[in-house]
Structures are given as C-alpha cells and as structure tokens.
Amino acid sequence: MGRRSIHTQEELRELIIAATTSIIDEAGIDGLSAREIAKHIGYSPGTLYNMFENLDDLLLIIEARLLDDLRQQLIEAAQNAPAHERLPRLAATYFEFTQNHPKRWSLLIEHRIPGNHPVPDWYEDKISSLLQPFEDVLDPILDADTSPETRRQHARTIWAGIHGLTSLSTANKLATITNHSGQVLIDDLVMTYLAGLQRSTSHGVSTAPQKEKR
Amino acid sequence: MGRRSIHTQEELRELIIAATTSIIDEAGIDGLSAREIAKHIGYSPGTLYNMFENLDDLLLIIEARLLDDLRQQLIEAAQNAPAHERLPRLAATYFEFTQNHPKRWSLLIEHRIPGNHPVPDWYEDKISSLLQPFEDVLDPILDADTSPETRRQHARTIWAGIHGLTSLSTANKLATITNHSGQVLIDDLVMTYLAGLQRSTSHGVSTAPQKEKR
C-alpha cells in the first residue's frame, strides 16, 4: 500500500501507537510485525520505519505510557486516604491496573531489547518514578528518625514483592500454585509487612514518637 | 548426520537433556532448535523427535529437574536450623539457587507452551511441591491454633514475594530500579514479614501459647 498524506507526522505517530496498543491488548506481542501494524492503519511498513527506528522503540513508548498511567493512578489512590490505608490502596491499585491490562503488562515484563542495547535513560527514569509513591506512603508510618536510606529500602522491598506477585498473576502462573486470588496474597503481603514495620519501629532502639500507628 | 547406535535409548535421552541444558546455560533459549541440539551430540534432529514429542516436552523435563534440585536444596537448608532462622534460610537458598542458574531460571519463568496446551499434571505437582518447605517452616512460628488454611495462605504469600523478587533479579530488572542487591531486599521482605506474623499472632485474638518466638 502506498503512503497516504492525509495525516500529519504527529497524527501518524499517534495512529501507529494506538494501532499497536490495540493489537497487543488483543493478541499480545507474539508475531507482532511492522507489516501487521501498517496494515491496520493502511500505510506501508516503510512508514513505520520513518517514524520509529525499529519495533523495539515503538514498544518502549507503549510501555512508557503504561507506566505513566499507572503512576498517575497510584498517586490518586494514595491521596485523601488515612496514612495507614495508603500502602494497601497503592498495592490494590497496582494489582488492579495490571489485571486490567494483562497483555501490555506482560509486554513490559517480558520485552527485552535485543543485542544487549541498554534501555534509554528516560525509560529507566519512568520505572524509578513508580517507586516514589511507595516511599511517600511509608513516610508517615515509619519512625521519624528512620533514615532516608532505610525508607528507600523498605519502599523497594514492598514494591518488588507487589510487582513480583502481580506479574505472576498476569502470567497466569499463580493459579498453578494456589487457588488464592492474587488480591488476597497481595493484601496478606502488604498488611503483614506493615505490621512487621510497626513492630520493628516500636520494638527497636528508636526513641522517636511513633506516628500514625493503628 | 545419520543415526549412530552406540547409545541406548536411555543414554541418548540423557545426552539430549544434558546437551540442551548446557546450551541453555550458555546462551538461553533464544534461537534454540532441535537442529542445534542434535549437532551438539552428533545425531540427526529426527533422533530428538523419536525421543521427545517436541522441543517444549524436552524443555519441561529440564525445568522439572531444576525444580527438583531447588526443592532438595530448600529441604536441606531448613534442616537443623533453629525455627526462627528457617524461613530466612529458605529465602536465601531460593535466591542463591536462581542466581546460580539464571538462564535456566528464566526458561522456567518465560517458557509458555504454545497453543494454550495445558502443562502436564506432573509439572504442576512439581511447582506445588516447592511450597511445602515454606509451609513446614511457618508451622512452628505461627500460633498453634492457626488454621491450616491461614498457614497455606501465608506460605503462598511469602513464596510469591520471594519468587517475584528473585525473578526480577535474574531478569536483570532489579538494577533498573535500585542499587540494593536482591539479597538485601529478600532479607528485608522475609524478616519484616516474619515480624508482622509474630505481631499479629501476639496481638491477635488467639489465646494459644506462642511458640518459638524470638
């Protein structure tokens, strides 16, 4: 098919991103090709390669938008909630989001840039930005004299636990091992971890006043 | 290459499994083919298909052996350790094992049987059997009147957290988000979760004597 000129470059770019997103949501990335995407929008595969260096670049943009959406939902979920409910809400939101976009989430988990090319810095920044909401919700729960480094560590630990559990669920691997729903296990993980944090701050050497404990 | 007859069927089967395992440990499964495996052992690809229905069957056997090895190491790690150290030891062993076999572990995580074929029952059983050591180590830590169902749930939660964190690490995805080692985050997860379990049992409605608390 020849190139049509009814779209601006920017419109064309968005068309390509939207078509690819909907193909992935339908069928995953197995067998995804520039040809198939081009066919969807009525352009030639060459048009794609004028806009994107390769398929991996296009996929990274779709992943980045997914991360942006998730981050926004996390921030909203934590807003206006009492301090001790924020982490459970973040976890539930994270889980629900991934279950609502299982194929795109699997893309994010499974997509590897071939040939050991590093992922771009902006992509790493987006992944890292997911952690900020977790640090923020831990802040009022931990003792006032908890070091920023310890808070960072706890945020990464609980994020990794939630993320790992979530990914098992979107990959349909949780059902192999248990009849518990992912949501039940996430709740257990978060509530028990929180109880453990409160126990260690109240039993630890800290003499700072305890904040916002249940 | 023609078929040689210097090996028994059983020897040939083990040769194929060993060659495939070493190819995966070296290079992962990208581009793995019956032709390449056959070349390694000096037989024709047809020989492979006489022994295994397809490449997926062969891969499942390699995954099953990896699971058997891990289970054995978990059982040994928990033996002879004081009750409150068993879960941290299980977690550290799980993590170390996966880091020692990163490519085969990624196979286990990423391998999907095409065409929505269900995995065989024996394979699901092997995955499930990994959970037993986690249930066993929780037993002396939880209140005596903890229901078997609750114990099962906690075992699955902490297993899923450890498994998820471990898989992030073998996929080199942890480094994107943190400079903490996987081992540090696993320790944090397990120790805080344990503290939370002890807090909830000592603060809960249970009146049963607490066992083996630190």
Side-chain angles (χ1 to χ4, degrees):
Chain A
M1 250 170 296
R3 191 181 198 175
R4 301 179 310 187
S5 53
I6 56 168
H7 295 112
T8 66
Q9 292 286 93
E10 189 47 41
E11 284 169 347
L12 198 47
R13 191 182 150 86
E14 289 304 318
L15 263 182
I16 292 168
I17 292 171
T20 310
T21 303
S22 93
I23 293 170
I24 292 170
D25 280 346
E26 189 81 20
I29 53 164
D30 284 353
L32 181 73
S33 67
R35 172 188 290 267
E36 185 189 2
I37 300 163
K39 199 174 153 199
H40 247 71
I41 58 170
Y43 280 81
S44 72
T47 307
L48 261 78
Y49 292 113
N50 288 338
M51 315 272 327
F52 301 95
E53 204 168 321
N54 51 47
L55 209 51
D56 289 308
D57 276 359
L58 173 55
L59 293 178
L60 280 179
I61 289 166
I62 290 170
E63 294 166 44
R65 292 195 176 180
L66 189 71
L67 291 168
D68 284 343
D69 286 352
L70 172 55
R71 176 153 197 264
Q72 191 53 40
Q73 293 205 13
L74 291 177
I75 290 168
E76 285 167 16
Q79 271 168 0
N80 306 321
H84 60 271
E85 283 176 19
R86 285 180 203 153
L87 184 60
R89 281 206 197 173
L90 276 195
T93 303
Y94 203 101
F95 182 73
E96 205 179 303
F97 183 88
T98 61
Q99 305 304 301
N100 288 342
H101 307 90
K103 295 251 167 61
R104 255 185 285 162
W105 192 254
S106 295
L107 164 68
L108 185 77
I109 305 300
E110 293 170 14
H111 180 211
R112 310 229 185 145
I113 314 291
N116 291 325
H117 282 293
V119 297
D121 286 346
W122 62 260
Y123 182 85
E124 296 215 354
D125 290 345
K126 279 197 193 296
I127 298 251
S128 296
S129 77
L130 280 187
L131 281 166
Q132 192 60 47
F134 288 89
E135 285 191 43
D136 292 345
V137 301
L138 285 181
D139 194 29
I141 291 167
L142 296 170
D143 268 357
D145 63 349
T146 302
S147 72
E149 173 51 26
T150 300
R151 194 183 65 185
R152 277 169 54 83
Q153 180 187 310
H154 288 321
R156 277 149 185 76
T157 298
I158 195 65
W159 169 82
I162 293 166
H163 179 87
L165 225 157
T166 292
S167 304
L168 275 173
S169 184
T170 47
N172 291 323
K173 300 218 165 169
L174 215 49
T176 308
I177 209 143
T178 184
N179 53 2
H180 295 90
S181 75
Q183 185 61 62
V184 166
L185 300 190
I186 295 254
D187 278 349
D188 179 339
L189 187 72
V190 169
M191 298 312 289
T192 311
Y193 189 84
L194 268 183
L197 282 183
Q198 290 168 359
R199 179 182 150 106
S200 53
T201 53
S202 60
H203 288 213
V205 292
S206 163
T207 53
Q210 291 168 32
K211 292 160 66 183
E212 306 260 12
K213 298 281 168 65
R214 276 212 273 199
Chain B
M1 250 169 297
R3 191 182 198 174
R4 301 181 307 188
S5 53
I6 55 169
H7 296 112
T8 65
Q9 292 286 92
E10 189 48 41
E11 284 169 346
L12 198 47
R13 190 181 151 87
E14 290 303 319
L15 263 182
I16 292 168
I17 292 171
T20 310
T21 303
S22 93
I23 293 169
I24 292 169
D25 281 345
E26 190 81 21
I29 53 164
D30 283 353
L32 182 73
S33 67
R35 172 189 289 269
E36 187 189 1
I37 299 164
K39 199 175 152 199
H40 247 71
I41 57 169
Y43 280 81
S44 72
T47 308
L48 260 80
Y49 291 113
N50 288 338
M51 315 273 327
F52 301 96
E53 203 168 322
N54 51 45
L55 209 50
D56 289 308
D57 276 359
L58 173 55
L59 294 178
L60 279 179
I61 289 166
I62 290 171
E63 293 167 43
R65 293 195 176 181
L66 189 71
L67 291 169
D68 284 343
D69 286 351
L70 172 55
R71 175 153 198 263
Q72 191 54 40
Q73 293 204 12
L74 291 177
I75 290 168
E76 286 167 16
Q79 271 168 359
N80 305 321
H84 60 271
E85 283 177 20
R86 285 178 203 154
L87 183 60
R89 282 205 196 173
L90 277 195
T93 302
Y94 203 101
F95 182 73
E96 205 179 302
F97 184 87
T98 62
Q99 305 304 301
N100 288 342
H101 307 90
K103 295 251 167 62
R104 256 186 283 162
W105 191 253
S106 295
L107 164 68
L108 185 78
I109 305 300
E110 294 170 11
H111 181 211
R112 312 233 185 140
I113 314 290
N116 291 326
H117 283 293
V119 296
D121 287 346
W122 61 260
Y123 183 85
E124 296 215 355
D125 290 345
K126 280 197 193 293
I127 299 252
S128 295
S129 76
L130 280 187
L131 281 167
Q132 192 60 48
F134 288 89
E135 286 192 43
D136 292 344
V137 301
L138 285 181
D139 195 29
I141 291 167
L142 296 170
D143 268 356
D145 64 349
T146 303
S147 72
E149 173 50 26
T150 300
R151 193 183 64 182
R152 278 171 53 83
Q153 180 186 311
H154 288 321
R156 276 148 186 76
T157 298
I158 195 65
W159 168 83
I162 293 166
H163 180 87
L165 225 157
T166 291
S167 304
L168 275 174
S169 183
T170 47
N172 291 322
K173 301 220 165 167
L174 216 47
T176 308
I177 209 144
T178 184
N179 53 3
H180 295 90
S181 75
Q183 186 60 63
V184 165
L185 300 190
I186 295 253
D187 278 349
D188 180 339
L189 188 72
V190 169
M191 298 312 289
T192 311
Y193 188 84
L194 269 183
L197 283 183
Q198 289 168 358
R199 180 183 151 106
S200 54
T201 54
S202 61
H203 289 213
V205 293
S206 162
T207 54
Q210 291 169 32
K211 292 159 66 184
E212 307 258 14
K213 298 283 168 65
R214 277 209 276 195

